[in-house]
Amino acid sequence: MSAFIFRKFLSTALTLLGVVTVSFFLVHSFGNGDPIRVMVGQHADAATVKALQEQFGLDLPLPVQYLRYMQHLIQGDLGRSISSNRPVLDVIIERLGATAMLAGVSMVIATILGIALGTLSALKNNSWADTVIMGFAQFGISLPSIVMAALFMMIFGVWLDWFPISGYASGFSVYLTLPAITLGIRPLAIIARVTRSSMLDVMGQDFVRTAKAKGLSETRVIIRHTLRNALNPVVTTIGSWFAGLLAGAYFIEYMFNWPGLGKVSIDAVDKLDYPMIQGAVLFSAVIFVAVNFLSDLVYAWLDPRIKIAS
């Protein structure tokens, strides 16, 4: 177990180091413009621009900037936002609640409905119900989220006037409805497809036929023997998608004016706010590796045949 954790920790550290390094040089090398000029305007005097460049360390050679950034990063300092002059970590923590609420509600919807629809589709294989469910899943996978958001805003926000299309309120509110459903449809569709495929595979196994031969009820066979053994790939899918949503649903947050990490990241790109962009990328990477690690543990718990190397 300790060897497994050590290997995971080493792999995680190397992954994060690679993400930080690549994102730093990409942002600084291919940024089109001067973030200081974006902040103070094109008509600011040269002395002001020079002073701000020195304040944020942008006057130093790029390798020196990288080494300074890594030195501060080791100390838990993600730098200060160029556009707001606030600590990047404070901005991320401030916006995390809104993104966590949106991602959490979306994944609850996607997980419950995805597993339920996938299971029903497998049990009704080659029936009209199976065709309808898989058709919906194909629609959800094929249609880009940004197009789906525009359609939902037009239909349910403008034509029917059921939900607001922009705004935010803390906690569960009517403002959460459209962005959560829009964000949850694609993972719902994928979870349904993965659940169906895995269920069909498990239903053909010998131990399922043995359980039925023993006279166990259909419900018990499905829940205790079939579904649990079919959940391994589903757990991996859920973990990956939740990590992606929590790291920042960029376009959905931006379109619905939801004040989460996605919106602040897009604003940072628009303002060439290098420290904010790097902080958002790093946070996204941390979320991915953390959720994937937890997914591995749950995967092993669900299937006793999978042993964590000690």
Side-chain angles (χ1 to χ4, degrees), residues 22 97 125 148 157 160 169 202 256 302:
V22 171
N125 187 31
M148 200 174 303
L160 299 177
V202 172
F256 287 98
L302 284 172

Side-chain angles (χ1 to χ4, degrees), residues 18-252:
V19 169
V20 169
T21 302
V22 171
S23 65
F24 182 91
F25 285 101
L26 281 178
V27 167
H28 285 75
S29 299
F30 298 99
N32 185 20
D34 183 354
I36 302 301
R37 285 290 182 184
V38 173
M39 179 176 65
V40 300
Q42 296 299 319
H43 301 292
D45 59 275
T48 300
V49 173
K50 186 174 186 301
L52 287 172
Q53 286 177 337
E54 292 176 353
Q55 176 184 338
F56 289 99
L58 297 176
D59 60 324
L60 300 172
L62 196 55
V64 177
Q65 291 186 47
Y66 171 74
L67 292 176
R68 287 185 58 180
Y69 179 75
M70 293 301 297
Q71 181 182 2
H72 287 90
L73 187 62
I74 292 173
Q75 300 171 358
D77 180 10
L78 300 182
R80 301 187 73 86
S81 168
I82 295 176
S83 59
S84 66
N85 199 28
R86 295 180 57 202
V88 170
L89 185 59
D90 289 354
V91 177
I92 290 177
I93 293 175
E94 180 183 282
R95 299 298 187 100
L96 179 59
T99 293
M101 172 68 72
L102 178 59
V105 172
S106 298
M107 279 311 301
V108 168
I109 294 172
T111 301
I112 294 175
L113 292 181
I115 292 177
L117 291 176
T119 301
L120 177 62
S121 183
L123 296 176
K124 302 293 184 180
N125 187 31
N126 293 327
S127 69
W128 66 267
D130 180 28
T131 303
V132 170
I133 293 172
M134 287 300 100
F136 165 77
Q138 188 62 42
F139 171 81
I141 294 173
S142 304
L143 195 64
S145 297
I146 191 170
V147 176
M148 200 174 303
L151 287 175
F152 283 5
M153 292 170 74
M154 180 63 68
I155 296 172
F156 299 107
V158 178
W159 293 347
L160 299 177
D161 196 23
W162 287 356
F163 306 105
I165 61 175
S166 178
Y168 170 78
S170 59
F172 294 95
S173 68
V174 68
Y175 293 100
L176 183 61
T177 307
L178 277 185
I181 293 175
T182 304
L183 193 60
I185 283 184
R186 176 164 286 186
L188 188 161
I190 293 176
I191 291 171
R193 287 176 64 94
V194 172
T195 301
R196 176 185 182 273
S197 176
S198 185
M199 283 282 293
L200 289 174
D201 182 61
V202 172
M203 286 167 63
Q205 300 294 321
D206 291 338
F207 68 89
V208 175
R209 289 192 288 267
T210 301
K212 291 180 179 179
K214 290 180 178 179
L216 298 179
S217 65
E218 187 71 18
T219 302
R220 187 173 182 181
V221 171
I222 293 171
I223 296 176
R224 187 176 179 84
H225 296 277
T226 309
L227 184 58
R228 177 169 178 172
N229 286 281
L231 282 180
N232 289 330
V234 179
V235 168
T236 303
T237 302
I238 293 172
S240 298
W241 271 97
F242 183 65
L245 298 186
L246 188 58
Y250 294 92
F251 293 110
I252 299 302

Side-chain angles (χ1 to χ4, degrees), residues 246-270:
L246 188 58
Y250 294 92
F251 293 110
I252 299 302
E253 289 188 358
Y254 192 80
M255 290 190 68
F256 287 98
N257 197 29
W258 190 265
L261 293 174
K263 188 173 187 303
V264 78
S265 299
I266 291 180
D267 290 340
V269 172
D270 186 51

